[in-house]
């Protein structure tokens, strides 16, 4: 009788034991989202699409080369983060420019090469770009007042696409008073480890 009760207790404890949770800065989807077909152009004017997401973990960040603060700060951190993540699994960073009018292939090439030549720097015209950005759970808006010197509002979050090409998670930045939104590299790497373990 005691043995039966012991088995029941072990079973209850196992059922109650939840998986390790990610931090408050990460939205991890229980059912990864299938992405709609897309085609962007990388910094070498080559078409990149859903198939380029397959077989590795992908970190997608929105930005533009004229961005004064969030973009260079985040890409600098992604260089470090990707080094850590690539020790655990095959990974790739995408810098998705939301300013296709000014961000030519040459500009995008020069920009990402400063951080890591292996990064993909892709864009497309807004008609194709906006639905793609929305599909990966991010957003942007052009603040164009008619001049050439304009700002682009965009998400400071990073989308995580799994090796099956599905949206797995969103890493959100920290918001501190008086500072621009900033990714917490330590928490992001730790959350990725949790997601990676749960995906096995």
């Amino acid at each position: 009788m005691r043995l039966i009760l012991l088995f029941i207790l072990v079973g209850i404890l196992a059922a109650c034991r939840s998986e390790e949770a990610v931090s408050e800065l990460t939205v991890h989807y229980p059912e990864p989202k299938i992405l709609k077909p897309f085609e962007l152009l990388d910094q070498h004017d080559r078409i990149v699409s859903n198939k380029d997401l397959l077989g590795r973990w992908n970190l997608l960040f929105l930005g533009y080369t004229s961005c004064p603060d969030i973009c260079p700060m985040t890409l600098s951190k992604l260089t470090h983060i990707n080094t850590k993540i690539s020790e655990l699994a095959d990974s790739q960073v995408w810098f998705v420019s939301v300013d296709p009018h000014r961000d030519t292939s040459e500009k995008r090439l020069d920009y990402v090469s400063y951080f890591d030549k292996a990064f993909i720097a892709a864009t497309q015209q807004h008609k194709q770009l906006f639905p793609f950005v929305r599909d990966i759970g991010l957003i942007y808006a052009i603040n164009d007042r008619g001049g050439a010197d304009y700002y682009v509002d965009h998400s400071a979050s990073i989308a995580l696409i799994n090796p099956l090409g599905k949206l797995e998670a969103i890493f959100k930045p920290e918001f501190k008073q008086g500072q621009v939104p900033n990714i917490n590299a330590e928490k992001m790497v730790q959350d990725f480890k949790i997601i990676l373990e749960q995906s096995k």
Side-chain angles (χ1 to χ4, degrees):
M1 183 66 180
R2 288 181 180 179
L3 190 58
I4 294 173
L5 288 173
L6 181 61
F7 278 126
I8 292 173
L9 182 60
V10 169
I12 291 172
L13 289 173
C16 291
R17 194 183 77 191
S18 59
E19 292 182 325
E20 188 177 358
V22 294
S23 75
E24 73 284 357
L25 294 175
T26 297
V27 178
H28 185 202
Y29 300 110
E31 290 293 332
K33 176 187 173 185
I34 298 173
L35 297 183
K36 296 174 182 175
F38 71 87
E39 285 190 351
L40 306 178
L41 292 174
D42 72 6
Q43 65 268 39
H44 306 290
D45 283 328
R46 295 183 299 220
I47 293 175
V48 287
S49 64
N50 303 73
K51 68 179 182 180
D52 295 286
L53 297 168
L54 302 177
R56 64 177 63 181
W57 292 88
N58 299 269
L59 301 168
L60 276 67
F61 172 68
L62 304 186
Y64 62 113
T65 64
S66 303
C67 180
D69 40 40
I70 295 175
C71 299
M73 285 172 56
T74 304
L75 284 171
S76 180
K77 285 201 169 190
L78 277 172
T79 303
H80 168 71
I81 290 167
N82 191 50
T83 299
K84 294 290 186 183
I85 286 178
S86 64
E87 294 173 356
L88 306 169
D90 192 10
S91 62
Q92 174 69 60
V93 173
W94 295 56
F95 169 70
V96 180
S97 171
V98 289
D99 187 11
H101 178 67
R102 291 183 296 186
D103 285 351
T104 62
S105 55
E106 291 83 2
K107 266 191 174 182
R108 285 180 277 120
L109 175 60
D110 289 343
Y111 192 69
V112 294
S113 294
Y114 177 79
F115 300 99
D116 191 326
K117 291 181 179 179
F119 286 4
I120 292 174
T123 194
Q124 187 54 277
Q125 296 306 305
H126 296 299
K127 186 177 179 181
Q128 294 84 28
L129 184 63
F130 188 80
F132 167 73
V133 168
R134 185 173 54 194
D135 198 34
I136 61 173
L138 305 179
I139 196 166
Y140 72 94
I142 305 288
N143 283 321
D144 188 357
R145 298 181 179 178
D149 188 21
Y150 56 84
Y151 290 99
V152 184
D153 292 327
H154 60 86
S155 302
S157 298
I158 295 168
L160 176 67
I161 312 298
N162 68 28
L164 297 177
K166 298 179 181 180
L167 177 64
E168 180 83 28
I170 299 287
F171 299 111
K172 301 182 295 182
E174 290 182 308
F175 289 88
K176 295 181 180 179
Q177 190 172 3
Q179 299 180 24
V180 296
N182 205 354
I183 289 293
N184 184 314
E186 186 177 341
K187 283 189 177 182
M188 184 172 161
V189 171
Q190 183 57 40
D191 286 348
F192 177 80
K193 288 179 181 178
I194 294 171
I195 292 169
L196 181 63
E197 187 61 33
Q198 292 178 4
S199 71
K200 293 178 180 177

